[in-house]
Amino acid sequence: MPRALVVGTPALPEPLRQERRRILRAVQDRVEEVADTAVAVMREEIPSYAVQDERFFDDVRDQVLSHYRIKLTVLAGERDIAAEDLVFSRAAAMRRARAGFALEDWISAFRVGRQVFWDAVLECAGTSPAAQEAALSLVTPLMRYVDFASTHAAQAYVEYQQHVVADADRERRDLLEQLLAGVAPTRGPLLAAAQAYGIGPHSPMMVVVAACVRDTRTGDTDLAENGYATSAAITVAGFWASRTLVVVRHGEVVAVPMVRAGMDEEDVCAHFDAVQRRLAREGNVLSMGISTVARGASELPRAYQEAREALELVPLGGGVAALPRLSPFDYLALRADDIARQLVDPRVSALLEEDRRRGDTLAATVRAFADADLNLRLAADRLRVHHNTAHYRLRRIEERTGRNPRRIADLLELLVALAIRDGAQEGEDRR
């Protein structure tokens, strides 16, 4: 950004120069009245300004007057302007940013001030051709000033916002680290931050660990490693996430959603499941692991480890693995190692692999029989097959494996073998 502005003036005959000086002197004589008009218009047109007190408008008026006077000096003296001349404007922009005003509101105020000043120039110029030509000669230097001044003030806004964002990011990181140490903050800024997210010493909460798989829109592998993009995507994906602590930590994104009154853990799982699907449709494919409920900060380290382990269960293409949705049986099967797979009878493994290639009809029958509490007729109805067909399938399983599905121990062994087979397939997908 330039540190100085060359105002520039077209070569004008002396009569037009005299007209310019006359116009500017006339505006100078009524500059305070012009500033009052500008403040009144800002109060009327900018909602966030309208609700402020008189002390605020005294400050605004001082700023408007300062800009008008330096503008008049620059235009009348045809001199350049340096960034140092606008220190007062940068300070005011910082005050507006610190008070929470949006940048667009401040730009609107700047626009109003410019327009009111120009209206005053035209009014003081009059209607004669020479006066109109002289007024038009002021347009270019005036617009250059406005652009230069507004750019410097907007930079002050951006600098402040970057400072606030950096501070907030550090505060979120510090809060999460303390929570993951199993300790709820009890005083100072971290306590205030925790309260802002609804986190108390005994609050029920969960942990979500997320990683960006890829960006399907660009194929950019660098973005897949950009935790901040993932964090931002989660934070903006719905009203609820905006009140959830979300932090980029050691190459992963950690979210700590609260289980609020009237909710349960399935509500949290459903929300982040929906977030994952929505972001995937938009091109940002995530993998998410979700923990069980932690009853207060002391249990949060355990919940964090759960979420990380759940993340390992997500297939390579992304998705959500939520522990609250898994039974102990499902979890153990998904985590089965090579030893567990070796313990499955080879006859059972062979039949299940063959059945997979043929459409999994026998596997579906075993599951339906178990879900029907060993009621074969009910299982057949749910499978929409004849009772004799279901009976034939169970007999065939017994003949091929030596396991009778009507016996609880044998049925359990078949279900475990099925779960291990499916878990192994999901493991291949994860790799």
Side-chain angles (χ1 to χ4, degrees):
M1 184 171 61
R3 297 291 301 172
L5 170 68
V6 179
V7 175
T9 294
L12 297 174
E14 185 58 30
L16 286 183
R17 287 182 178 275
Q18 291 178 3
E19 279 296 299
R20 278 171 59 111
R21 287 193 289 268
R22 180 190 65 80
I23 293 168
L24 294 173
R25 281 196 302 269
V27 176
Q28 178 68 58
D29 289 344
R30 49 184 292 197
V31 67
E32 296 206 10
E33 175 189 339
V34 178
D36 289 338
T37 300
V39 172
V41 175
M42 292 176 195
R43 188 194 294 258
E44 180 179 347
E45 293 189 1
I46 306 174
S48 63
Y49 277 37
V51 298
Q52 303 304 314
D53 58 20
E54 292 306 317
R55 182 177 178 182
F56 170 81
F57 285 107
D58 287 342
D59 183 35
V60 173
R61 186 177 185 275
D62 286 343
Q63 293 303 308
V64 172
L65 269 174
S66 295
H67 274 293
Y68 285 177
R69 284 171 175 153
I70 195 171
K71 252 189 276 195
L72 288 165
T73 300
V74 168
L75 294 173
E78 300 177 359
R79 73 171 178 85
D80 298 339
I81 180 174
E84 290 73 19
D85 296 321
L86 297 173
V87 171
F88 71 93
S89 182
R90 289 176 59 84
M94 282 282 195
R95 289 197 296 275
R96 303 293 178 266
R98 192 178 300 113
F101 288 92
L103 177 58
E104 54 266 30
D105 290 340
W106 185 88
I107 294 295
S108 294
F110 214 94
R111 173 189 56 77
V112 169
R114 177 201 64 201
Q115 186 61 52
V116 170
F117 184 88
W118 179 244
D119 290 343
V121 168
L122 292 179
E123 185 177 344
C124 292
T127 59
S128 71
Q132 291 290 303
E133 187 175 352
L136 288 176
S137 73
L138 293 168
V139 170
T140 296
L142 183 58
M143 293 306 296
R144 286 176 179 168
Y145 172 86
V146 169
D147 180 64
F148 186 75
S150 61
T151 299
H152 274 269
Q155 184 189 42
Y157 252 85
V158 172
E159 289 172 356
Y160 178 80
Q161 290 169 345
Q162 288 174 338
H163 172 74
V164 169
V165 168
D167 277 355
D169 189 49
R170 284 192 294 270
E171 188 174 76
R172 286 193 300 270
R173 286 171 176 268
D174 291 346
L175 174 59
L176 180 66
E177 292 302 326
Q178 184 161 335
L179 291 172
L180 292 184
V183 180
T186 58
R187 61 182 180 177
L190 290 188
L191 174 60
Q195 291 173 340
Y197 292 110
I199 298 173
H202 307 292
S203 301
M205 59 193 106
M206 298 165 72
V207 176
V208 180
V209 175
C212 185
V213 176
R214 66 185 182 280
D215 189 322
T216 60
R217 297 159 298 186
T218 65
D220 188 348
T221 55
D222 289 338
L223 182 61
E225 299 172 6
N226 189 342
Y228 289 97
T230 302
S231 173
I234 293 173
T235 302
V236 301
F239 74 96
W240 192 29
S242 64
R243 298 198 299 270
T244 297
L245 177 62
V246 182
V247 178
V248 180
R249 181 181 186 270
H250 304 324
E252 63 190 13
V253 178
V254 181
V256 183
M258 306 302 300
V259 183
R260 305 180 191 278
M263 296 168 44
D264 59 23
E265 53 193 6
E266 174 54 29
D267 294 321
V268 176
C269 295
H271 171 76
F272 280 92
D273 205 20
V275 167
Q276 195 278 339
R277 291 196 304 271
R278 173 184 165 184
L279 296 177
R281 289 194 299 269
E282 296 172 355
N284 190 4
V285 181
L286 303 181
S287 293
M288 291 184 177
I290 304 178
S291 75
T292 61
V293 176
R295 306 290 174 181
S298 63
E299 295 186 10
L300 210 63
R302 181 263 303 163
Y304 170 69
Q305 290 302 321
E306 289 181 357
R308 293 197 67 190
E309 291 178 11
L311 186 64
E312 296 178 4
L313 303 178
V314 179
L316 187 62
V320 176
L323 293 187
R325 291 174 169 174
L326 299 178
S327 69
F329 179 88
D330 294 330
Y331 178 77
L332 290 173
L334 288 171
R335 302 290 293 181
D337 56 15
D338 290 339
I339 294 176
R341 285 186 281 276
Q342 289 296 324
L343 292 176
V344 177
D345 189 311
R347 293 176 297 171
V348 174
S349 297
L351 176 65
L352 294 182
E353 287 304 319
E354 178 185 317
D355 184 52
R356 188 208 297 275
R357 294 191 295 270
R358 294 183 175 182
D360 262 351
T361 56
L362 298 182
T365 303
V366 169
R367 291 193 175 104
F369 188 51
D371 290 342
D373 296 327
L374 281 64
N375 185 325
L376 187 58
R377 189 172 298 278
L378 178 58
D381 290 343
R382 291 176 176 176
L383 292 168
R384 297 183 179 180
V385 299
H386 193 274
H387 172 263
N388 289 338
T389 301
H391 179 74
Y392 166 76
R393 291 177 180 176
L394 294 187
R395 189 172 67 249
R396 185 174 173 219
I397 291 170
E398 183 177 4
E399 291 172 352
R400 292 283 304 275
T401 66
R403 270 69 178 177
N404 180 2
R406 295 179 184 276
R407 295 182 62 246
I408 295 297
D410 287 354
L411 177 61
L412 183 59
E413 186 176 345
L414 291 169
L415 290 170
V416 168
L418 266 173
I420 290 177
R421 183 202 70 173
D422 294 344
Q425 181 60 47
E426 291 188 16
E428 290 296 323
D429 292 341
R430 291 193 294 276
R431 287 190 287 273

